Amino acid sequence: MSSDRPPAPPPDPVRPSDDAARALAQGLMAGARFAALATLTPEGAPFVSRIAFGLDPEGRPLSLISDLAAHSQHLAADPRAALLLGEPGDKGDPLVHPRLTLQVTARSLRHTDPGHAALAAHYLRDHPKARLYIGFADFALVRFTVQSGMLNGGFGRAFRLSPQDLARGGTTRR
Amino acid sequence: MSSDRPPAPPPDPVRPSDDAARALAQGLMAGARFAALATLTPEGAPFVSRIAFGLDPEGRPLSLISDLAAHSQHLAADPRAALLLGEPGDKGDPLVHPRLTLQVTARSLRHTDPGHAALAAHYLRDHPKARLYIGFADFALVRFTVQSGMLNGGFGRAFRLSPQDLARGGTTRR
């Protein structure tokens, strides 16, 4: 630390996935109750906001969002999005806490769509406070199809993950 | 809650800024030690990752990031970005915790650039653990110029903020 010459930079940190990375990523998905959502503005610029987060019965990302939010209007125009999961605690360096970026495509499920009632009931099990507004006509469930994942387990511990790596049990079930 | 008819949706939640909103937003900026950063992939899709966060001596957003990170490569190709600040605690509904979205443009300041040493010394006051890697040749300070802000103080409490609203003391100092 007191040397005038900085240490050499670390090697390229992105590694292929392994069982430990898959387990860590799936644990972050199972434990997250909110996420940062990146969307595109009408001008094509990046935007980021907070959304509620859960998993559908098949272990795929799910949220409940209001039509009034800027991100909903962005997704209606371009469904491409990204999610950041895994929140640091109050102590220590937040950049050593593991986090997961998911590149996704969003699909809304509205009150009038088939399957809404069952998925809403599932969602409320993990998000009981959403009972206050899940019935609002302007709130829709949003399902996210995962294209790819990037797990950062701390400095020098990055892994690129496939949709199969991120599916519950390590296999896709559809 | 047991009614078959959902309640009416809330009115458009975006309000003009006021002193309380400016103070809350500036407090979130002053208190944040990390942020979610949204960038654009080479395909123009949204991406989101975690970065360290601080303020420069004039109260403007500042980070320290590695060239090896995907977001650095994104910013080198397109400097448009967005930041999400304000982290929920462990208790309560995370969507009632205030958070701030900043739409920004990124500019790197590298070791060889004028002013790097002074800004690095300033950054280390709030991020002492960064001393371990701030000297790495692949780490650059990144300053963010704010274009606009959106403060969400919880359901029905959203405010659009200007760069002037977000400048320390409510005035821009350059």
Side-chain angles (χ1 to χ4, degrees), chain A residues 6-7 9 48 50 86-87 101 135-136 138, chain B residues 6-7 9 48 50 86-87 101 135 138:
Chain A
V48 57
R50 181 162 296 136
E87 290 301 312
T101 297
F136 288 169
D138 67 301
Chain B
V48 59
R50 180 162 297 135
E87 291 301 313
T101 297
D138 67 301

Side-chain angles (χ1 to χ4, degrees), chain A residues 56-121:
Chain A
D56 75 8
E58 286 74 41
R60 296 173 297 200
L62 176 66
S63 189
L64 175 68
I65 67 179
S66 165
D67 295 343
L68 300 178
H71 48 236
S72 296
Q73 295 161 27
H74 299 167
L75 293 175
D78 190 327
R80 292 180 295 173
L83 295 162
L84 178 65
L85 309 176
E87 290 301 312
D90 290 337
K91 295 185 180 174
D93 186 337
L95 295 182
V96 305
H97 285 265
R99 63 272 191 190
L100 176 66
T101 297
L102 300 176
Q103 289 191 263
V104 297
T105 306
R107 287 178 300 148
S108 285
L109 189 73
R110 308 198 67 88
H111 292 263
T112 50
D113 290 331
H116 182 278
L119 193 58

Side-chain angles (χ1 to χ4, degrees), chain A residues 1 6-14 33-41 43-52 64 66 68-70 78 80-95 97-103 111 123 129-133 135-139 150 155 160, chain B residues 1 5-14 33-41 43-52 64 66 68-70 78 80-95 97-103 111 129-133 135-139 150 155 160:
Chain A
M1 277 199 282
D12 181 346
V14 180
R33 290 294 171 271
F34 60 94
L37 172 74
T39 54
L40 297 176
T41 70
E43 296 77 32
F47 189 87
V48 57
S49 51
R50 181 162 296 136
I51 60 168
L64 175 68
S66 165
L68 300 178
D78 190 327
R80 292 180 295 173
L83 295 162
L84 178 65
L85 309 176
E87 290 301 312
D90 290 337
K91 295 185 180 174
D93 186 337
L95 295 182
H97 285 265
R99 63 272 191 190
L100 176 66
T101 297
L102 300 176
Q103 289 191 263
H111 292 263
Y123 182 83
K129 290 176 182 164
R131 191 175 298 279
L132 292 168
Y133 45 89
F136 288 169
D138 67 301
F139 272 80
M150 174 82 84
F155 288 112
R160 191 170 298 279
Chain B
M1 278 198 282
R5 275 181 60 197
D12 181 347
V14 179
R33 290 295 170 270
F34 60 94
L37 171 73
T39 55
L40 296 177
T41 69
E43 295 76 32
F47 189 87
V48 59
S49 51
R50 180 162 297 135
I51 59 168
L64 174 68
S66 165
L68 300 178
D78 189 328
R80 293 179 295 171
L83 296 162
L84 178 65
L85 309 176
E87 291 301 313
D90 290 336
K91 294 186 180 175
D93 186 337
L95 296 183
H97 284 265
R99 63 272 192 189
L100 176 66
T101 297
L102 300 176
Q103 289 190 263
H111 292 263
K129 289 175 182 164
R131 191 175 300 278
L132 293 169
Y133 46 88
F136 288 169
D138 67 301
F139 272 80
M150 173 82 82
F155 289 112
R160 192 171 298 277

